[in-house]
Amino acid sequence: MNLDEYMGHDATALAELVAAKQVTPKELLDLARKRAGQVNGKLNAIVINIDREADEQVKGDLTGPFAGVPFLVKDLHQEYKGYPTTAGCRALRNDVATENALLVDRFLDAGLVIFGKTATPELGSKGITESKLWGPCRNPWDTSRTPGGSSGGSAASVAAGIVPAAGANDGGGSIRIPAACNGLVGLKPSRGLAPYGPQRGESMFGMATEGVVARTVRDTAGLMDVIVGRTPFADYQAAMPSRKFAEAIKKKPRKLKIGFSAHSAITGKADPQAVAAMTATAELLTDLGHVVEEVAPPYDDKALAQTFLTIWFAQLEGQVAEIKARTGAKDSDFEPDTLAVAEIGRASGVAALMAALGQVKEYTYAMERFYADHDFFLTPTIACEPIKVGSLDTPVPLQVAARVVHRVHAGKALVRTGVIDQMIDDNLGWVPYTQLANLTGRPAITVPVHWTADGLPLGVQFNGALGADAALLQLATQLEEAQPWIERFPAEPKHHLSAV
């Protein structure tokens, strides 16, 4: 097998070739490393190599549904024993895992050959992938642009052909945003299906979940079958799917009623390209026999953004405090933006957090009323083309001010300046559609059905009711068959990073 052939196969096909002894796991690993050697210096997607263990894996008798397929895990909440999980944070650069995350064990049990960890912004806290520790990660479709975040390193690796799929997770769109930016499939599953720990409990009060980014729907379905299962130390037991997702997608979806809207109280109206992606998808769905109608958004996304950020700020303050207590890290080990946000979370207090958590039910109720008359809610995944790398950089004077604000506990004064509204506009204005699924625990999927005139991918997103994961995958399969995207690859990256 040559490199072009390797890149032209998805994970399911590669596993079939290994099973038929037409290619060996070592050959596939060599090809994955060769491709990484060609492009990673330009993308900065893989930040930690896992060489010894990967080499040992391919020498052994691999079993499982994806035996021998090269794979990467995200450097956040996907711990690999013997290697640091930095989460893009200098405070954690030497935080070596003493055991695998349960998710990583499931990947290994499936026969996936894990040979590296991918870039994420500090503590996964942004929709871009630019950290002080590792430097910016770049989009292979246009290296001047972001691959999204926080699973940007995984998405860039898949889009560039290093691996056919990679580990990801999603606390506010971190699977779907990078999938949309890179022309990939990204499913945020229903709450409770994916495992967590044993290093921690549920992240973000259960709003964050594990998953993958992949080139094909069948890989997404097959890998979700690997991921989904009981978490032994969970506080509750979610109902597991009655059949495998890989089997479910073989059945065409029934006639569906789908409401769509690109309206956002944050952005006003999405970029025409994002609207075009959604509109074209609505027309395709109609051609496929579904009932599609434009609707008023069933929730206020500006209010939802406020709720989401209040919860996000509080949990980030807790993360910073825990890391300091456990590692002895200092303020200088964290980025200024992280410190400022953590201080806002501290200053806002428990009452604000509890009020925000209480507001979540209002969004859940609103969406369930919507799903009483519709099967899915269709939106753009992102409101514009992937933004430029560095466009959200905090000016140096404000970085200095952020450290001072954190040191003197001036969070309440900072809140009075209207900084939260500005953060909503700046950081969520281009990604206002993804936080809904996290707050409500419902599944959502992005699929790459549109490319701009400049050749940039723009995904569209379907939100579904609790437990609608299989139905979302069925619809995604139908769209993939009607408008295939697997053969779309970016041109070779041209931009070379400076040393970081």
Side-chain angles (χ1 to χ4, degrees), residues 121-289:
E122 184 166 79
L123 304 181
S125 61
K126 295 179 180 179
I128 57 175
T129 301
E130 301 170 28
S131 71
K132 298 293 185 185
L133 175 61
W134 299 115
C137 180
R138 297 177 181 270
N139 191 319
W141 293 91
D142 178 349
T143 52
S144 72
R145 296 179 184 269
T146 183
S150 64
S151 305
S154 288
S157 297
V158 176
I162 298 173
V163 287
N169 39 47
D170 193 317
S174 291
I175 288 174
R176 291 158 288 148
I177 294 167
C181 288
N182 289 274
L184 307 176
V185 180
L187 172 69
K188 180 264 170 199
S190 292
R191 185 173 300 165
L193 295 187
Y196 53 84
Q199 289 83 0
R200 67 192 57 78
E202 285 188 300
S203 297
M204 279 192 71
F205 308 96
M207 296 174 191
T209 187
E210 301 296 327
V212 296
V213 288
R215 290 184 52 77
T216 64
V217 180
R218 69 173 184 173
D219 277 0
T220 304
L223 287 164
M224 287 308 302
D225 286 332
V226 167
I227 290 170
V228 168
R230 189 176 70 89
T231 300
F233 27 80
D235 297 325
Y236 64 93
Q237 180 59 62
M240 293 291 116
S242 59
R243 59 175 171 163
K244 296 287 188 182
F245 293 125
E247 289 299 316
I249 63 172
K250 295 177 181 178
K251 181 180 178 181
K252 290 188 179 298
R254 58 178 174 79
K255 184 176 182 178
L256 300 167
K257 185 177 181 182
I258 300 168
F260 69 90
S261 175
H263 176 78
S264 165
I266 301 173
T267 61
K269 190 173 184 180
D271 181 89
Q273 288 283 359
V275 175
M278 183 193 66
T279 303
T281 303
E283 292 172 354
L284 176 57
L285 291 166
T286 300
D287 292 342
L288 292 170

Side-chain angles (χ1 to χ4, degrees), residues 197-464:
Q199 289 83 0
R200 67 192 57 78
E202 285 188 300
S203 297
M204 279 192 71
F205 308 96
M207 296 174 191
T209 187
E210 301 296 327
V212 296
V213 288
R215 290 184 52 77
T216 64
V217 180
R218 69 173 184 173
D219 277 0
T220 304
L223 287 164
M224 287 308 302
D225 286 332
V226 167
I227 290 170
V228 168
R230 189 176 70 89
T231 300
F233 27 80
D235 297 325
Y236 64 93
Q237 180 59 62
M240 293 291 116
S242 59
R243 59 175 171 163
K244 296 287 188 182
F245 293 125
E247 289 299 316
I249 63 172
K250 295 177 181 178
K251 181 180 178 181
K252 290 188 179 298
R254 58 178 174 79
K255 184 176 182 178
L256 300 167
K257 185 177 181 182
I258 300 168
F260 69 90
S261 175
H263 176 78
S264 165
I266 301 173
T267 61
K269 190 173 184 180
D271 181 89
Q273 288 283 359
V275 175
M278 183 193 66
T279 303
T281 303
E283 292 172 354
L284 176 57
L285 291 166
T286 300
D287 292 342
L288 292 170
H290 302 296
V291 177
V292 185
E293 62 179 10
E294 188 166 10
V295 297
Y299 66 101
D300 180 343
D301 69 326
K302 184 83 170 186
L304 183 141
Q306 180 78 47
T307 299
F308 174 79
L309 287 181
T310 299
I311 295 168
W312 182 266
F313 294 165
Q315 66 84 32
L316 190 63
E317 193 277 333
Q319 277 187 281
V320 170
E322 185 276 332
I323 291 169
K324 286 182 174 181
R326 180 166 57 83
T327 68
K330 301 176 181 179
D331 284 355
S332 58
D333 294 315
F334 297 91
E335 296 177 16
D337 291 356
T338 299
L339 295 176
V341 168
E343 172 55 20
I344 292 172
R346 186 203 65 79
S348 297
V350 174
L353 171 61
M354 296 307 294
L357 290 170
Q359 288 164 352
V360 169
K361 72 178 185 302
E362 302 300 331
Y363 306 115
T364 302
Y365 293 168
M367 292 311 299
E368 284 308 301
R369 288 191 291 269
F370 177 83
Y371 294 133
D373 191 46
H374 295 81
D375 294 291
F376 299 130
F377 179 47
L378 166 65
T379 70
T381 309
I382 54 179
C384 61
E385 294 178 342
I387 60 177
K388 295 284 188 177
V389 170
S391 60
L392 295 183
D393 283 356
T394 302
V396 173
L398 291 182
Q399 291 185 37
V400 174
R403 292 192 179 278
V404 173
V405 164
H406 183 269
R407 186 170 64 249
V408 302
H409 294 318
K412 289 185 178 180
L414 187 61
V415 170
R416 287 195 293 269
T417 68
V419 68
I420 294 179
D421 286 336
Q422 190 62 49
M423 292 180 76
I424 290 174
D425 292 342
D426 291 346
N427 291 282
L428 299 185
W430 75 288
V431 289
Y433 304 109
T434 55
Q435 297 79 40
L436 172 68
N438 300 92
L439 285 177
T440 62
R442 271 59 187 163
I445 194 169
T446 182
V447 289
V449 294
H450 184 80
W451 270 256
T452 72
D454 294 331
L456 294 173
L458 274 181
V460 297
Q461 175 184 240
F462 294 88
N463 287 272

